[in-house]
Amino acid sequence: MRKNKIIHQLFVATFLISFFSCSDDLDIEPNDQIAKENFFQSEEDFQAATAPLYNRVWFSFNDKFYFGLGDGRSYNLYAPFSDYVYPFSDLTETGLTGPLVEAWRSFYVVIQQSNNTISSINESSVDEEIKKRYVAEARFMRGVAYWYIASLWGDAIITTSQAEIISNPIVNKSPRSDVYEFALRDLEYAAMFLPEQAGQAGRLTRYSAYGMLSRFYLSYSGLSDNPNSGSRDQELLNLAEMSAEKVINEGPYSLMEDYEDLFLIENNNNSESLFALQWVPNGEYGVNNTHQSYFALGSEITGDDAAYGFYTRASYDVLQEYEPNDLRRRATWMADGDFYPEINQANGGYEVDHENTYVNVKKGVVGSNRDNPDITRQNSGLNTYMLRLGEVYLNYAEAVLGNSASTSDPMALMYVNELRERAGLESKSSLTFEDILHERRVELAMEGQFWYDLVRWAYYEQQEVVSYIDDQERAVITPFTYQAETNTVSVDETRDVTTRAVGDVDESIFLLPYPESEVVQNPLLREDPVPYEFTEERLTEELF
């Protein structure tokens, strides 16, 4: 796909000064902040300052936690020898689990660098309307980081100033509902002031914010003091529906015709992508996408030794989720007999050739430098989807379903059926919650989303989610065979079923432990949360 002047090029040209600190601590000031008053003298300066918010600040999150938590903890992934997956899939993580610590740090780096950028933009003398646009960009990033934190840890520290945290690092956390409210204020501001069209390929638009709001409202709608209330807030469901509708009807986005094409490097920043992390082809450590090295089945794919994915596999549970002939499976998981013409092109393509007793990861696996010069060792050059139109379609359908047992709403059906038809499947004539959950799992598998779907569900039907996870039988290793042609998984009676130790499946699994280093530094994380004092009102009524 042809691109305009992309954000990658701007990043490489302007990122001569390191703005990012590798400190473990939330309160340590970066060596060189990206936000400096004398740096912001024009719109081009704003672009240079916000460009790193699309990659480097998210690196530690993307590196392992994106899939380890989103797909490992939801049990899409089974990786018994990967310490960045099995603590989450086995429900045994602690405050010392490496990827958990790195993710917390990464989210607060996003937050603090966004705060720095917002502060310096506001202090600049550039036109106010231009300033609002780039403040909106930074607030979008900050709001997304806070949504992740609210979803994973619940109560958390809310900060709008790094200087204040540096001067006083021992601060109270705020309740999860306030963290959600803060994130919503950021995203509503972004929807108000981001541009209708992206100024550069990969940049955000106001419809990126509306799409993210459809996720936020949907999540927040089920949150209450009773996790088994069985219902969601109708006003928030309506807002989720209206937000998704804005994106679908007014935004410049459309579905790609071929699902597999979504995951090719040449289709970075395609028509379906609302927000993606922008990794730099041939870029240095910190702006590279490492996913392929963790997923690739062998060096015949990558052309080098960075291929650690032999034992990173689809779980038996997720393979049972795919309907026969669902084309999304082949684009997500590579099974014995699958053929990929984009990999190992010099030899006519790559055919998976091993026993049909396991299935490996395909999403994120793109080939070698000989297949595409943008690919280098431990850098696939592939964008990381954070939000795409397929999810917005499903958000719309789930919001319309709301608290009902089923829906035959024509628009909800149309959007879900567009995804199913693209996957080569028959259309549905009505939708239940189970139908939508199924579609979310297979449409967005290996895009770091399914655990958050389960968390959202657990806000109002927690016991049902506990039962759902318990029924996955994570302690049981079921031997199977897999037929790629029909997406058929069968129990292999010639091998023994084995067991392993996993954590308890109960209500505690829906909140992660705080990193031990953060609790030592700030003992107030152990105390009850204190309500946050908001200084601005929501913009909801002005958006719809």
Side-chain angles (χ1 to χ4, degrees), residues 308-387:
Y308 320 130
F310 183 81
Y311 288 105
T312 302
R313 301 172 176 178
S315 70
Y316 173 64
D317 186 72
V318 77
L319 291 175
Q320 295 178 90
E321 194 77 35
Y322 287 89
E323 297 171 63
N325 305 313
D326 188 333
L327 298 175
R328 293 173 290 195
R329 196 280 306 161
R330 203 185 83 92
T332 308
W333 312 101
M334 54 169 60
D336 179 49
D338 284 333
F339 177 76
Y340 300 96
E342 73 274 16
I343 298 174
N344 199 14
Q345 295 176 32
N347 293 314
Y350 176 73
E351 183 173 355
V352 184
D353 184 14
H354 57 57
E355 294 178 332
N356 68 344
T357 57
Y358 58 93
V359 177
N360 294 86
V361 180
K362 172 57 176 73
K363 264 185 198 177
V365 175
V366 291
S368 71
N369 183 259
R370 290 175 297 176
D371 298 316
N372 189 311
D374 286 346
I375 303 169
T376 50
R377 188 179 185 279
Q378 293 191 323
N379 186 5
S380 68
L382 190 68
N383 286 353
T384 299
Y385 287 114
M386 299 287 273
L387 178 70

Coordinates of all heavy atoms in Angstrom, one line a residue, residues 308-387:
Y308 N 11.8 -18.1 18.4 CA 11.7 -18.8 19.6 C 10.3 -19.4 19.8 O 9.9 -19.7 21.0 CB 12.0 -17.8 20.8 CG 13.1 -16.9 20.6 CD1 12.9 -15.5 20.8 CD2 14.3 -17.3 20.1 CE1 14.0 -14.6 20.6 CE2 15.4 -16.4 19.8 CZ 15.2 -15.1 20.1 OH 16.2 -14.2 19.9
G309 N 9.5 -19.5 18.8 CA 8.1 -19.8 18.9 C 7.6 -21.2 18.8 O 6.5 -21.5 18.7
F310 N 8.6 -22.2 18.8 CA 8.2 -23.6 18.6 C 7.2 -24.0 19.7 O 6.3 -24.8 19.3 CB 9.5 -24.5 18.6 CG 9.2 -25.9 18.4 CD1 9.0 -26.4 17.1 CD2 9.1 -26.8 19.4 CE1 8.8 -27.7 16.8 CE2 8.8 -28.2 19.2 CZ 8.7 -28.6 17.9
Y311 N 7.4 -23.6 20.9 CA 6.5 -24.1 22.0 C 5.5 -23.0 22.3 O 4.8 -23.1 23.4 CB 7.3 -24.5 23.2 CG 8.1 -25.8 23.1 CD1 9.4 -25.8 22.9 CD2 7.4 -27.0 23.1 CE1 10.1 -27.0 22.7 CE2 8.0 -28.2 22.9 CZ 9.4 -28.2 22.8 OH 10.1 -29.4 22.6
T312 N 5.3 -22.0 21.5 CA 4.3 -21.0 21.7 C 3.2 -21.3 20.8 O 3.3 -21.1 19.6 CB 4.9 -19.5 21.5 OG1 6.0 -19.3 22.3 CG2 3.8 -18.5 21.7
R313 N 2.1 -21.8 21.3 CA 1.1 -22.5 20.5 C -0.3 -22.1 20.8 O -0.6 -21.5 21.9 CB 1.2 -24.0 20.7 CG 2.6 -24.5 20.3 CD 2.8 -25.9 20.6 NE 4.1 -26.4 20.2 CZ 4.6 -27.6 20.4 NH1 3.9 -28.5 21.1 NH2 5.8 -28.0 19.9
A314 N -1.2 -22.4 19.9 CA -2.7 -22.2 20.2 C -3.1 -23.2 21.3 O -2.7 -24.4 21.2 CB -3.5 -22.5 18.9
S315 N -3.9 -22.8 22.2 CA -4.4 -23.7 23.2 C -5.5 -24.6 22.6 O -6.1 -24.3 21.6 CB -5.0 -23.0 24.4 OG -6.3 -22.3 24.0
Y316 N -5.6 -25.8 23.1 CA -6.7 -26.7 22.7 C -8.0 -26.0 22.8 O -8.9 -26.1 21.9 CB -6.7 -28.0 23.6 CG -7.8 -28.9 23.4 CD1 -8.0 -29.6 22.1 CD2 -8.7 -29.2 24.4 CE1 -9.0 -30.5 21.9 CE2 -9.7 -30.1 24.2 CZ -9.9 -30.8 23.0 OH -10.9 -31.7 22.8
D317 N -8.2 -25.2 23.8 CA -9.5 -24.5 24.0 C -9.8 -23.5 22.9 O -10.9 -23.5 22.4 CB -9.4 -23.7 25.4 CG -10.7 -23.0 25.7 OD1 -11.6 -23.8 26.1 OD2 -10.8 -21.8 25.7
V318 N -8.8 -22.7 22.5 CA -9.1 -21.7 21.4 C -9.3 -22.4 20.1 O -10.2 -22.0 19.2 CB -8.0 -20.7 21.3 CG1 -6.8 -21.2 20.6 CG2 -8.6 -19.4 20.6
L319 N -8.7 -23.5 19.8 CA -8.9 -24.3 18.5 C -10.3 -24.8 18.4 O -10.8 -24.9 17.3 CB -7.8 -25.4 18.4 CG -6.4 -24.9 18.2 CD1 -5.4 -26.1 18.2 CD2 -6.2 -24.1 16.9
Q320 N -10.9 -25.1 19.6 CA -12.3 -25.6 19.5 C -13.3 -24.5 19.2 O -14.4 -24.8 18.8 CB -12.7 -26.2 20.9 CG -11.9 -27.4 21.3 CD -12.3 -27.9 22.7 OE1 -13.2 -28.7 22.8 NE2 -11.6 -27.4 23.7
E321 N -12.8 -23.3 19.3 CA -13.7 -22.1 19.1 C -13.9 -21.9 17.6 O -15.0 -21.3 17.2 CB -13.0 -20.9 19.7 CG -13.9 -19.7 19.8 CD -14.9 -19.8 21.0 OE1 -14.5 -20.3 22.0 OE2 -16.0 -19.3 20.9
Y322 N -13.1 -22.3 16.7 CA -13.2 -22.0 15.3 C -14.2 -22.9 14.6 O -14.2 -24.1 14.8 CB -11.8 -22.1 14.6 CG -10.9 -21.0 14.9 CD1 -10.1 -21.1 16.0 CD2 -10.9 -19.8 14.2 CE1 -9.2 -20.0 16.4 CE2 -10.1 -18.7 14.5 CZ -9.2 -18.9 15.6 OH -8.4 -17.8 16.0
E323 N -15.1 -22.3 13.8 CA -16.0 -23.0 13.0 C -15.2 -23.7 11.8 O -14.2 -23.1 11.4 CB -17.1 -22.1 12.5 CG -17.9 -21.5 13.6 CD -18.9 -20.4 13.1 OE1 -19.7 -20.8 12.3 OE2 -18.7 -19.3 13.5
P324 N -15.8 -24.8 11.3 CA -15.1 -25.3 10.1 C -15.0 -24.3 9.0 O -16.0 -23.5 8.7 CB -16.1 -26.5 9.7 CG -16.8 -26.8 11.0 CD -16.9 -25.5 11.7
N325 N -13.9 -24.2 8.4 CA -13.6 -23.4 7.2 C -13.6 -21.9 7.5 O -13.6 -21.0 6.6 CB -14.6 -23.6 6.1 CG -14.7 -25.1 5.7 OD1 -13.6 -25.7 5.5 ND2 -15.9 -25.6 5.6
D326 N -13.5 -21.5 8.8 CA -13.3 -20.1 9.2 C -11.9 -19.6 8.7 O -10.9 -20.1 9.2 CB -13.5 -19.9 10.7 CG -13.5 -18.4 11.1 OD1 -12.9 -17.6 10.4 OD2 -14.1 -18.1 12.2
L327 N -11.9 -18.7 7.8 CA -10.6 -18.3 7.2 C -9.7 -17.6 8.1 O -8.5 -17.4 7.9 CB -10.9 -17.4 5.9 CG -11.6 -18.1 4.8 CD1 -11.9 -17.1 3.7 CD2 -10.9 -19.3 4.2
R328 N -10.3 -17.1 9.2 CA -9.5 -16.3 10.2 C -8.5 -17.2 10.9 O -7.5 -16.7 11.4 CB -10.4 -15.6 11.2 CG -11.3 -14.5 10.6 CD -12.3 -13.9 11.5 NE -13.4 -14.9 11.8 CZ -14.6 -14.5 12.3 NH1 -14.8 -13.3 12.6 NH2 -15.5 -15.5 12.5
R329 N -8.8 -18.5 11.0 CA -7.9 -19.4 11.7 C -6.5 -19.4 11.1 O -5.5 -19.3 11.7 CB -8.5 -20.8 11.8 CG -7.8 -21.7 12.8 CD -6.5 -22.3 12.3 NE -6.7 -23.0 11.0 CZ -5.7 -23.3 10.2 NH1 -4.4 -23.0 10.5 NH2 -5.9 -23.9 9.1
R330 N -6.5 -19.6 9.7 CA -5.2 -19.7 9.0 C -4.4 -18.4 9.1 O -3.1 -18.5 9.1 CB -5.5 -20.0 7.5 CG -4.3 -20.7 6.8 CD -4.6 -20.8 5.4 NE -4.4 -19.6 4.6 CZ -3.2 -19.4 4.1 NH1 -2.2 -20.2 4.1 NH2 -3.0 -18.2 3.4
A331 N -5.0 -17.3 9.2 CA -4.3 -16.0 9.3 C -3.8 -15.8 10.8 O -3.0 -14.9 11.0 CB -5.3 -14.8 9.0
T332 N -4.3 -16.6 11.7 CA -4.0 -16.4 13.1 C -3.1 -17.5 13.6 O -2.1 -17.2 14.4 CB -5.3 -16.4 14.0 OG1 -6.2 -15.4 13.4 CG2 -5.0 -16.0 15.4
W333 N -3.3 -18.7 13.2 CA -2.6 -19.9 13.7 C -2.1 -20.7 12.5 O -2.9 -21.0 11.6 CB -3.4 -20.7 14.6 CG -4.2 -20.0 15.7 CD1 -5.5 -19.7 15.7 CD2 -3.6 -19.6 16.9 NE1 -5.8 -19.0 16.8 CE2 -4.7 -18.9 17.6 CE3 -2.4 -19.6 17.5 CZ2 -4.5 -18.4 18.9 CZ3 -2.2 -19.1 18.8 CH2 -3.2 -18.4 19.4
M334 N -0.9 -21.1 12.4 CA -0.4 -21.9 11.3 C -0.3 -23.4 11.8 O 0.3 -23.7 12.8 CB 1.0 -21.4 10.8 CG 2.1 -21.3 11.8 SD 3.7 -21.0 11.0 CE 3.4 -19.5 10.1
A335 N -1.0 -24.2 11.0 CA -1.1 -25.6 11.3 C -0.4 -26.4 10.2 O -0.1 -25.9 9.1 CB -2.6 -26.1 11.4
D336 N -0.1 -27.7 10.5 CA 0.5 -28.6 9.5 C -0.3 -28.6 8.2 O -1.5 -28.8 8.2 CB 0.5 -30.0 10.1 CG 1.1 -31.0 9.1 OD1 2.2 -30.7 8.6 OD2 0.5 -32.1 8.9
G337 N 0.4 -28.3 7.1 CA -0.2 -28.3 5.8 C -0.6 -26.9 5.3 O -0.9 -26.7 4.1
D338 N -0.6 -25.9 6.2 CA -0.9 -24.5 5.7 C 0.2 -24.0 4.9 O 1.4 -24.3 5.1 CB -1.1 -23.6 6.9 CG -2.4 -23.8 7.6 OD1 -3.4 -24.2 7.0 OD2 -2.5 -23.5 8.9
F339 N -0.1 -23.2 3.9 CA 0.9 -22.6 3.0 C 0.7 -21.1 3.0 O -0.4 -20.5 2.9 CB 0.6 -23.1 1.5 CG 1.6 -22.6 0.5 CD1 2.9 -23.0 0.5 CD2 1.1 -21.6 -0.3 CE1 3.8 -22.4 -0.5 CE2 2.0 -21.0 -1.3 CZ 3.3 -21.5 -1.3
Y340 N 1.9 -20.4 3.0 CA 2.0 -19.0 3.1 C 2.9 -18.4 2.0 O 4.1 -18.5 2.2 CB 2.4 -18.5 4.5 CG 1.5 -19.0 5.6 CD1 1.7 -20.1 6.3 CD2 0.3 -18.3 5.8 CE1 0.9 -20.6 7.3 CE2 -0.6 -18.7 6.8 CZ -0.3 -19.8 7.5 OH -1.2 -20.3 8.5
P341 N 2.4 -17.9 0.9 CA 3.2 -17.4 -0.2 C 4.1 -16.3 0.2 O 5.1 -16.0 -0.5 CB 2.2 -17.1 -1.3 CG 1.0 -16.8 -0.5 CD 1.0 -17.7 0.6
E342 N 3.8 -15.5 1.2 CA 4.5 -14.3 1.5 C 5.8 -14.6 2.3 O 6.7 -13.7 2.4 CB 3.7 -13.3 2.3 CG 3.4 -13.6 3.7 CD 2.2 -14.5 3.9 OE1 1.7 -15.1 2.9 OE2 1.7 -14.7 5.0
I343 N 5.9 -15.8 2.8 CA 7.1 -16.2 3.6 C 8.0 -17.1 2.7 O 7.5 -18.0 2.0 CB 6.6 -17.0 4.9 CG1 5.8 -16.0 5.8 CG2 7.8 -17.5 5.6 CD1 5.2 -16.7 7.0
N344 N 9.3 -16.9 2.8 CA 10.3 -17.7 2.1 C 10.0 -17.7 0.6 O 9.9 -18.7 -0.1 CB 10.3 -19.2 2.6 CG 11.5 -19.9 2.2 OD1 12.5 -19.4 1.7 ND2 11.5 -21.3 2.3
Q345 N 9.7 -16.5 0.1 CA 9.3 -16.3 -1.3 C 10.3 -16.8 -2.3 O 10.0 -17.3 -3.4 CB 9.1 -14.8 -1.5 CG 7.9 -14.2 -0.7 CD 7.7 -12.7 -0.9 OE1 8.0 -12.2 -2.0 NE2 7.3 -12.0 0.1
A346 N 11.6 -16.7 -2.0 CA 12.7 -17.1 -2.9 C 12.5 -18.6 -3.3 O 13.0 -19.0 -4.3 CB 14.0 -16.8 -2.3
N347 N 11.9 -19.4 -2.4 CA 11.8 -20.8 -2.6 C 10.3 -21.2 -2.9 O 9.9 -22.3 -2.7 CB 12.3 -21.6 -1.4 CG 13.8 -21.5 -1.2 OD1 14.5 -21.6 -2.2 ND2 14.2 -21.2 0.0
G348 N 9.5 -20.2 -3.3 CA 8.2 -20.4 -3.7 C 7.1 -20.4 -2.6 O 6.0 -20.8 -2.8
G349 N 7.5 -19.9 -1.4 CA 6.6 -19.9 -0.3 C 7.0 -20.8 0.8 O 7.9 -21.6 0.7
Y350 N 6.2 -20.8 1.9 CA 6.4 -21.6 3.1 C 5.2 -22.5 3.4 O 4.1 -22.0 3.6 CB 6.7 -20.7 4.3 CG 7.0 -21.5 5.6 CD1 8.1 -22.2 5.8 CD2 6.0 -21.5 6.6 CE1 8.3 -22.9 7.0 CE2 6.2 -22.1 7.8 CZ 7.3 -22.9 8.0 OH 7.5 -23.5 9.1
E351 N 5.5 -23.8 3.4 CA 4.5 -24.8 3.8 C 4.8 -25.3 5.2 O 5.9 -25.8 5.4 CB 4.3 -25.9 2.8 CG 3.2 -26.9 3.2 CD 2.9 -27.9 2.1 OE1 3.5 -27.8 1.1 OE2 2.1 -28.8 2.4
V352 N 3.9 -25.3 6.1 CA 4.1 -25.8 7.4 C 4.1 -27.3 7.3 O 3.2 -28.0 6.8 CB 3.0 -25.4 8.4 CG1 3.3 -25.9 9.8 CG2 2.8 -23.9 8.4
D353 N 5.2 -27.9 7.8 CA 5.4 -29.4 7.7 C 5.9 -30.0 9.0 O 7.1 -30.0 9.3 CB 6.4 -29.7 6.5 CG 6.5 -31.1 6.3 OD1 5.7 -31.9 6.8 OD2 7.5 -31.5 5.6
H354 N 5.0 -30.3 9.8 CA 5.3 -31.0 11.1 C 4.2 -31.9 11.5 O 3.1 -32.0 10.8 CB 5.7 -30.0 12.2 CG 4.7 -29.0 12.5 ND1 3.4 -29.3 12.9 CD2 4.7 -27.6 12.5 CE1 2.7 -28.2 13.2 NE2 3.5 -27.2 12.9
E355 N 4.3 -32.6 12.6 CA 3.2 -33.4 13.1 C 1.9 -32.5 13.3 O 2.0 -31.3 13.6 CB 3.5 -34.0 14.4 CG 4.7 -35.1 14.3 CD 5.0 -35.6 15.7 OE1 4.8 -34.9 16.7 OE2 5.5 -36.8 15.7
N356 N 0.8 -33.1 13.1 CA -0.5 -32.3 13.3 C -1.0 -32.4 14.7 O -2.2 -32.3 15.0 CB -1.5 -32.8 12.3 CG -2.0 -34.2 12.7 OD1 -1.4 -35.0 13.4 ND2 -3.2 -34.6 12.1
T357 N 0.0 -32.4 15.6 CA -0.4 -32.5 17.1 C -0.2 -31.1 17.8 O -0.4 -31.1 19.0 CB 0.5 -33.5 17.8 OG1 1.8 -33.2 17.5 CG2 0.1 -34.9 17.2
Y358 N 0.1 -30.1 17.1 CA 0.2 -28.8 17.7 C 0.0 -27.7 16.6 O 0.2 -28.0 15.4 CB 1.5 -28.6 18.4 CG 2.8 -28.8 17.6 CD1 3.4 -27.7 17.0 CD2 3.4 -30.0 17.5 CE1 4.6 -27.9 16.2 CE2 4.5 -30.2 16.7 CZ 5.1 -29.2 16.1 OH 6.3 -29.4 15.4
V359 N -0.3 -26.5 17.0 CA -0.6 -25.4 16.1 C 0.1 -24.2 16.6 O 0.0 -23.8 17.8 CB -2.1 -25.2 15.9 CG1 -2.4 -24.0 15.0 CG2 -2.8 -26.4 15.4
N360 N 0.9 -23.5 15.8 CA 1.7 -22.3 16.2 C 1.1 -21.0 15.8 O 0.0 -21.0 15.1 CB 3.1 -22.5 15.6 CG 3.9 -23.6 16.2 OD1 3.8 -24.7 15.7 ND2 4.6 -23.4 17.3
V361 N 1.7 -19.9 16.2 CA 1.2 -18.6 15.9 C 1.5 -18.1 14.5 O 2.7 -18.3 14.0 CB 1.7 -17.6 16.9 CG1 1.2 -16.2 16.6 CG2 1.4 -18.0 18.4
K362 N 0.6 -17.5 13.8 CA 0.8 -16.9 12.5 C 0.8 -15.4 12.6 O 1.6 -14.7 12.0 CB -0.2 -17.4 11.5 CG -0.1 -16.6 10.1 CD 1.3 -16.7 9.5 CE 1.3 -16.0 8.1 NZ 1.3 -14.6 8.2
K363 N -0.2 -14.8 13.3 CA -0.3 -13.4 13.4 C 1.0 -12.8 13.9 O 1.4 -13.2 15.0 CB -1.5 -12.9 14.2 CG -2.8 -12.6 13.5 CD -3.9 -12.1 14.4 CE -5.2 -12.2 13.7 NZ -6.3 -11.8 14.6
G364 N 1.5 -11.8 13.2 CA 2.8 -11.3 13.6 C 4.0 -11.9 13.0 O 5.1 -11.4 13.1
V365 N 3.8 -13.0 12.3 CA 4.9 -13.7 11.6 C 4.8 -13.4 10.2 O 3.8 -13.6 9.5 CB 4.8 -15.3 11.8 CG1 5.8 -16.0 11.0 CG2 4.9 -15.6 13.3
V366 N 5.9 -12.7 9.7 CA 5.8 -12.1 8.3 C 6.9 -12.5 7.4 O 6.9 -12.2 6.2 CB 5.8 -10.6 8.4 CG1 4.5 -10.1 9.0 CG2 7.0 -10.1 9.3
G367 N 7.9 -13.2 7.9 CA 9.0 -13.7 7.0 C 10.4 -13.1 7.4 O 10.6 -12.6 8.5
S368 N 11.2 -13.1 6.4 CA 12.6 -12.6 6.6 C 12.9 -11.4 5.8 O 12.1 -10.9 5.0 CB 13.6 -13.7 6.2 OG 13.6 -13.9 4.8
N369 N 14.1 -10.9 6.0 CA 14.5 -9.7 5.2 C 14.5 -9.9 3.7 O 14.4 -9.0 2.9 CB 15.9 -9.3 5.7 CG 16.4 -8.0 5.0 OD1 17.3 -8.1 4.1 ND2 16.0 -6.9 5.5
R370 N 14.7 -11.2 3.3 CA 14.7 -11.5 1.9 C 13.3 -11.4 1.3 O 13.1 -11.2 0.1 CB 15.2 -12.9 1.7 CG 16.7 -13.1 1.9 CD 17.2 -14.5 1.8 NE 16.6 -15.3 2.8 CZ 16.7 -16.6 2.9 NH1 17.4 -17.3 2.0 NH2 16.1 -17.3 3.9
D371 N 12.3 -11.6 2.2 CA 10.9 -11.4 1.8 C 10.4 -10.0 1.8 O 9.6 -9.6 0.9 CB 10.0 -12.2 2.8 CG 10.2 -13.7 2.8 OD1 10.4 -14.2 1.7 OD2 10.3 -14.3 3.9
N372 N 11.0 -9.2 2.7 CA 10.6 -7.7 2.7 C 11.8 -7.0 3.4 O 12.1 -7.4 4.5 CB 9.3 -7.6 3.5 CG 8.8 -6.2 3.5 OD1 9.5 -5.2 3.7 ND2 7.5 -6.0 3.2
P373 N 12.3 -6.0 2.8 CA 13.5 -5.3 3.4 C 13.2 -4.6 4.7 O 14.1 -4.2 5.4 CB 13.9 -4.3 2.3 CG 12.7 -4.1 1.4 CD 12.0 -5.5 1.5
D374 N 11.9 -4.4 5.0 CA 11.5 -3.7 6.3 C 11.7 -4.7 7.5 O 11.6 -4.2 8.6 CB 10.1 -3.2 6.2 CG 9.9 -2.0 5.3 OD1 11.0 -1.4 5.0 OD2 8.8 -1.6 5.0
I375 N 11.9 -6.0 7.2 CA 12.0 -7.0 8.3 C 13.5 -7.1 8.6 O 14.4 -7.3 7.7 CB 11.5 -8.3 7.8 CG1 10.0 -8.2 7.4 CG2 11.6 -9.4 9.0 CD1 9.5 -9.5 6.7
T376 N 13.8 -7.0 9.9 CA 15.2 -7.3 10.4 C 15.1 -8.1 11.6 O 14.0 -8.5 12.1 CB 16.0 -6.0 10.7 OG1 15.2 -5.1 11.5 CG2 16.3 -5.2 9.4
R377 N 16.3 -8.5 12.1 CA 16.3 -9.4 13.3 C 15.6 -8.8 14.5 O 15.9 -7.6 14.8 CB 17.7 -9.7 13.7 CG 17.8 -10.8 14.7 CD 19.3 -11.1 15.1 NE 19.4 -12.2 16.0 CZ 19.2 -12.1 17.3 NH1 19.0 -10.9 17.9 NH2 19.3 -13.2 18.1
Q378 N 14.6 -9.5 15.0 CA 13.8 -9.0 16.1 C 13.0 -7.7 15.8 O 12.7 -7.0 16.7 CB 14.6 -8.9 17.4 CG 15.2 -10.2 17.9 CD 15.7 -10.1 19.3 OE1 16.4 -9.1 19.7 NE2 15.5 -11.1 20.1
N379 N 12.7 -7.5 14.6 CA 11.9 -6.4 14.2 C 11.1 -6.7 12.9 O 11.7 -6.7 11.8 CB 12.8 -5.1 14.0 CG 11.9 -3.9 13.7 OD1 10.7 -3.9 13.8 ND2 12.6 -2.8 13.4
S380 N 9.9 -7.0 13.1 CA 9.1 -7.4 12.0 C 8.7 -6.3 11.1 O 8.3 -6.5 10.0 CB 7.8 -8.1 12.5 OG 6.9 -7.2 13.2
G381 N 8.7 -5.0 11.7 CA 8.3 -3.9 10.9 C 6.7 -3.8 10.8 O 6.2 -2.9 10.2
L382 N 6.0 -4.7 11.5 CA 4.6 -4.7 11.4 C 4.0 -3.9 12.5 O 4.4 -4.0 13.7 CB 4.1 -6.2 11.5 CG 2.6 -6.5 11.3 CD1 2.3 -6.3 9.8 CD2 2.3 -7.9 11.7
N383 N 3.0 -3.0 12.2 CA 2.3 -2.3 13.2 C 1.6 -3.2 14.2 O 1.3 -4.3 13.8 CB 1.3 -1.4 12.5 CG 1.8 -0.2 11.8 OD1 3.0 0.1 11.9 ND2 1.0 0.6 11.1
T384 N 1.4 -2.7 15.4 CA 0.6 -3.4 16.4 C -0.8 -2.8 16.5 O -0.9 -1.6 16.8 CB 1.3 -3.4 17.8 OG1 2.6 -4.0 17.7 CG2 0.4 -4.1 18.8
Y385 N -1.8 -3.6 16.1 CA -3.2 -3.1 16.2 C -3.5 -2.8 17.7 O -3.4 -3.7 18.5 CB -4.2 -4.0 15.6 CG -4.2 -4.1 14.1 CD1 -3.8 -5.2 13.5 CD2 -4.6 -3.0 13.4 CE1 -3.8 -5.3 12.1 CE2 -4.5 -3.1 12.0 CZ -4.2 -4.2 11.3 OH -4.1 -4.3 10.0
M386 N -4.0 -1.6 18.0 CA -4.6 -1.3 19.3 C -6.1 -1.1 19.1 O -6.8 -1.2 20.1 CB -3.9 0.0 19.8 CG -2.4 -0.1 20.0 SD -2.0 -1.1 21.5 CE -2.1 0.1 22.8
L387 N -6.5 -0.8 17.9 CA -8.0 -0.6 17.7 C -8.2 -0.7 16.2 O -7.5 0.1 15.4 CB -8.5 0.7 18.2 CG -10.0 1.0 18.0 CD1 -10.9 0.0 18.8 CD2 -10.3 2.5 18.3

